[in-house]
């Protein structure tokens, strides 16, 4: 296997090796199923550090360019998704064809890295030891062992201290919001929600008769200085990684939100859907930590495992246990108890934590590729927000205000994108439109191609 490493290049040896190997696999210079040289052998031939080869192989395995078979070696994979026959390494980087239809609006996890083996092993154990609690209808508030496992996990990883009874297992974030809205509709009549923000939240509350009040946000989240007194309201926020602008609420604003809830007899819904994936800085305090009597904390396995699992959880104040339990008993529609048992096993044996750690490394590499490509392409003409955590970033162009009609030009250049104002509750949103770019579901070559196509689209937009 011939690989030319340019030791005088400003591009790191690791990047050169990664680019060259992906090019060879994508272009079938290395055939599907062909055995790769061992890391020791390749390092010796190229006269580079073995750790460099190991790190590159780990990244290629994470992106399904190669696979390792215990006792047999490492083999190339050229699956159907390897369709981007791009020039990498020492050759010019340009796609073979335009209009590949790359979608940047997914915000779903990298499904190629679903933990299949761990899931299979956990499933076998659950089915083998299945009892009436697993095979029956189950507790409408959730499988007790899973709630106990989550209790420990949340304390260790999010600093959330709660009792098992405060944890409700539900069908994901949308189901969690629906349960809360149904439970509190007789006592609360209005909902304060971020604008722009998650679309289904105001829609659910509005359907149930709540008055919807938009909350102004900026690059760090809700502008608490603009909060006006409103008795007995439910306030929704995605404080750790705001959707869609990607900001993180400062500790000062967090305390101001808590103070608002205390003064107005209100509750706060804290949507924490993707903050497990953090790429720099220490994890921020959750609102629930600051006041467990006023905050309902929402988490989901849709972003960490896969959307089809349709499972999440709510950590609720003790005061609300009776009223929310009545709602869950009435609805009687918790996730499959067998799947809850599997999640319990993954959390208890540490596989869930290992999966989060692995995916964080993968996403960190992807967001780095995206931000570096954007900054290299657009220099000082862009501002990137939200690249510290989560599964997407928000981009603002400094010399052009994006408009809805620009979407067609993006589509013309093979990009399926969304703009932040789509998620606004106001027609005259004072915030500049941002381009939303999800990176989690894309390979790194696809990310580079997407930025290349974005550059062409932008040149077309500004004329």
């Amino acid at each position: 296997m011939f690989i030319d490493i340019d030791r005088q290049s400003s591009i790191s040896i690791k990047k050169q090796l990664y680019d060259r190997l992906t090019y060879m696999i994508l272009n079938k210079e290395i055939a599907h199923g062909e055995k790769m040289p061992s890391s020791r052998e390749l390092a010796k031939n190229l006269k580079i550090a073995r750790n460099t080869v190991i790190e590159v192989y780990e990244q290629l395995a994470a992106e399904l360019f190669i696979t390792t078979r215990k006792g047999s070696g490492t083999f190339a994979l050229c699956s159907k998704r390897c369709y981007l026959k791009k020039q990498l390494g020492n050759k010019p980087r340009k796609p073979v064809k335009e209009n590949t239809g790359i979608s940047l609006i997914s915000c779903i996890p990298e499904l190629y890295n679903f933990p299949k083996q761990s899931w299979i092993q956990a499933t076998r154990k659950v089915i083998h030891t299945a009892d009436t609690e697993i095979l029956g209808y189950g507790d409408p508030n959730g499988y007790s062992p899973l709630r106990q496992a989550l209790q420990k996990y949340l304390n260790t990883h999010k600093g959330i201290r709660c009792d098992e009874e405060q944890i409700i297992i539900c069908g994901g974030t949308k189901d969690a919001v629906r349960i809360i809205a149904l439970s509190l509709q007789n006592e609360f009549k209005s909902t304060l929600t971020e604008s722009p923000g998650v679309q289904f939240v105001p829609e659910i509350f509005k359907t149930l008769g709540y008055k919807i009040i938009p909350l102004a946000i900026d690059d760090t989240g809700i502008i608490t200085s603009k909060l006006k007194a409103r008795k007995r309201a439910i306030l929704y926020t995605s404080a750790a990684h705001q959707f869609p602008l990607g900001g993180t609420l400062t500790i000062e604003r967090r305390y101001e939100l808590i103070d608002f809830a205390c003064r107005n007899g209100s509750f706060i819904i804290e949507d924490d859907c993707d903050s497990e994936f953090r790429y720099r800085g220490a994890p921020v305090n959750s609102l629930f930590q600051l006041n467990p009597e006023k905050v309902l904390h929402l988490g989901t396995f849709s972003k960490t495992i896969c959307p089809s699992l349709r499972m999440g959880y709510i950590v609720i104040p003790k005061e609300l246990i009776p009223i929310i339990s009545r709602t869950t008993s009435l609805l009687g529609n918790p996730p499959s108890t067998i799947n809850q048992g599997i999640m319990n096993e993954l959390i208890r044996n540490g596989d869930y934590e290992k999966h989060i750690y692995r995916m964080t490394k993968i996403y960190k590499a992807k967001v780095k590729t995206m931000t570096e490509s954007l900054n290299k392409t657009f220099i000082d003409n862009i501002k990137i927000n939200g690249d510290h955590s989560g599964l997407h970033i928000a981009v603002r162009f400094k010399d052009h205000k994006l408009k809805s009609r620009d979407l067609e030009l993006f589509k013309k250049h093979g990009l399926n994108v969304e703009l932040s104002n789509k998620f606004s509750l106001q027609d005259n949103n004072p915030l500049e439109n941002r381009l939303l770019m999800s990176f989690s579901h894309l390979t790194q070559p696809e990310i580079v191609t997407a930025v290349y196509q974005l550059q062409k689209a932008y040149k077309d937009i500004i004329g």
Side-chain angles (χ1 to χ4, degrees):
M1 181 185 293
F2 175 75
I3 296 177
D4 184 23
I5 298 293
D6 183 359
R7 300 178 191 278
Q8 306 303 316
S9 172
S10 59
I11 301 172
S12 70
I13 291 175
K14 185 190 300 183
K15 186 69 168 63
Q16 290 184 56
L17 180 59
Y18 170 84
D19 284 349
R20 186 58 187 157
L21 287 174
T22 53
Y23 173 82
M24 294 171 78
I25 294 171
L26 289 169
N27 287 272
K28 299 184 180 178
E29 291 181 19
I30 302 175
H32 175 72
E34 182 177 336
K35 189 171 183 178
M36 305 283 289
S38 69
S39 59
R40 190 184 303 277
E41 178 187 353
L42 188 56
K44 182 179 179 180
N45 290 342
L46 297 179
K47 294 181 173 57
I48 62 177
R50 187 185 176 201
N51 281 346
T52 300
V53 180
I54 290 173
E55 288 181 29
V56 171
Y57 271 17
E58 286 177 347
Q59 183 60 41
L60 292 174
E63 296 188 47
L64 294 188
F65 282 108
I66 61 176
T67 185
T68 300
R69 300 173 196 161
K70 193 172 182 179
S72 299
T74 301
F75 300 85
L77 292 176
C78 189
S79 61
K80 291 180 180 179
R81 70 190 187 93
C82 293
Y83 62 89
L84 294 176
K85 296 184 178 179
K86 357 182 348 290
Q87 303 294 319
L88 296 170
N90 298 326
K91 301 186 179 183
R93 290 184 177 179
K94 50 179 159 181
V96 168
K97 62 176 183 178
E98 296 181 2
N99 298 322
T100 54
I102 295 177
S103 174
L104 296 173
I105 65 174
S106 171
C107 274
I108 63 172
E110 168 56 275
L111 300 180
Y112 292 107
N113 283 294
F114 175 79
K116 292 180 182 178
Q117 285 305 118
S118 298
W119 189 269
I120 290 169
Q121 291 170 6
T123 302
R124 284 175 177 161
K125 183 172 181 179
V126 169
I127 297 300
H128 182 70
T129 60
D131 54 17
T132 54
E133 189 177 5
I134 283 286
L135 298 177
Y137 286 111
D139 188 329
N141 283 345
Y143 182 51
S144 178
L146 174 58
R147 294 159 76 191
Q148 293 169 14
L150 271 173
Q151 179 188 14
K152 294 177 182 177
Y153 176 85
L154 292 170
N155 186 19
T156 301
H157 296 278
K158 294 190 179 184
I160 291 177
R161 296 183 179 181
C162 62
D163 297 333
E164 175 193 334
E165 291 73 21
Q166 290 177 259
I167 299 175
I168 307 292
I169 307 300
C170 59
T173 304
K174 188 177 290 188
D175 190 41
V177 172
R178 183 171 63 105
I179 289 170
I180 295 168
L182 283 167
S183 299
L184 303 181
Q185 64 179 332
N186 292 330
E187 297 184 42
F188 295 84
K189 301 301 179 186
S190 58
T191 305
L192 292 80
T193 183
E194 299 165 336
S195 179
V198 178
Q199 281 183 311
F200 65 75
V201 173
E203 290 173 0
I204 290 173
F205 279 102
K206 187 176 180 181
T207 300
L208 293 172
Y210 288 80
K211 180 180 179 181
I212 308 301
I213 300 152
L215 294 176
I217 66 169
D218 59 17
D219 285 347
T220 58
I222 294 173
I223 305 173
T224 48
S225 60
K226 294 186 177 182
L227 270 176
K228 296 179 181 179
R230 183 167 293 274
K231 297 295 182 183
R232 308 291 288 168
I234 300 172
L235 188 152
Y236 168 89
T237 178
S238 48
H241 188 244
Q242 201 275 336
F243 183 87
L245 300 190
T248 296
L249 208 61
T250 63
I251 188 63
E252 292 81 8
R253 291 190 183 185
R254 288 167 185 265
Y255 277 116
E256 286 169 2
L257 277 190
I258 295 295
D259 181 61
F260 171 86
C262 292
R263 284 187 290 104
N264 291 278
S266 301
F267 285 107
I268 299 171
I269 298 175
E270 176 185 27
D271 186 350
D272 199 38
C273 68
D274 61 7
S275 70
E276 272 93 350
F277 304 120
R278 191 165 189 86
Y279 316 121
R280 67 172 188 271
V284 295
N285 289 329
S286 72
L287 293 170
F288 190 94
Q289 283 177 277
L290 302 181
N291 193 324
E293 296 177 358
K294 288 293 179 183
V295 179
L296 297 93
H297 181 91
L298 275 53
T300 179
F301 299 118
S302 295
K303 297 287 196 265
T304 55
I305 297 291
C306 67
S308 67
L309 184 57
R310 298 192 181 279
M311 189 187 304
Y313 57 88
I314 321 170
V315 186
I316 62 177
K318 291 181 179 179
E319 172 190 347
L320 296 180
I321 293 175
I323 188 171
I324 289 185
S325 294
R326 281 198 297 271
T327 301
T328 56
S329 295
L330 179 65
L331 294 175
N333 190 35
S336 158
T337 314
I338 291 176
N339 283 344
Q340 290 187 59
I342 295 169
M343 277 308 307
N344 168 57
E345 185 62 28
L346 292 178
I347 294 172
R348 286 186 182 279
N349 67 19
D351 283 346
Y352 181 66
E353 184 179 351
K354 290 176 185 175
H355 179 67
I356 297 293
Y357 178 75
R358 178 180 180 229
M359 296 311 300
T360 299
K361 287 180 66 177
I362 291 172
Y363 294 149
K364 184 176 181 178
K366 290 184 180 186
V367 74
K368 183 180 179 184
T369 296
M370 180 169 276
T371 53
E372 286 183 349
S373 296
L374 285 167
N375 285 321
K376 183 178 179 180
T377 301
F378 294 96
I379 318 295
D380 297 323
N381 188 34
I382 58 167
K383 183 178 186 302
I384 298 173
N385 208 42
D387 59 331
H388 58 283
S389 67
L391 305 180
H392 81 285
I393 61 173
V395 175
R396 175 169 64 86
F397 294 97
K398 296 179 181 178
D399 67 352
H400 176 75
K401 292 185 178 181
L402 292 167
K403 302 175 182 62
S404 297
R405 63 173 178 264
D406 294 334
L407 290 173
E408 287 304 314
L409 286 174
F410 284 121
K411 191 174 293 185
K412 171 187 170 184
H413 289 276
L415 292 177
N416 192 11
V417 300
E418 288 179 319
L419 302 179
S420 60
N421 279 0
K422 171 186 175 180
F423 303 93
S424 177
L425 295 173
Q426 307 124 296
D427 292 332
N428 56 340
N429 193 338
L431 282 171
E432 282 189 41
N433 230 340
R434 314 293 172 89
L435 178 66
L436 308 182
M437 300 182 68
S438 174
F439 54 83
S440 54
H441 62 298
L442 301 175
T443 65
Q444 287 178 300
E446 286 172 331
I447 289 171
V448 172
T449 301
V451 174
Y452 176 88
Q453 292 176 198
L454 178 64
Q455 180 188 33
K456 295 181 69 176
Y458 190 71
K459 286 179 179 178
D460 202 356
I461 287 170
I462 63 177

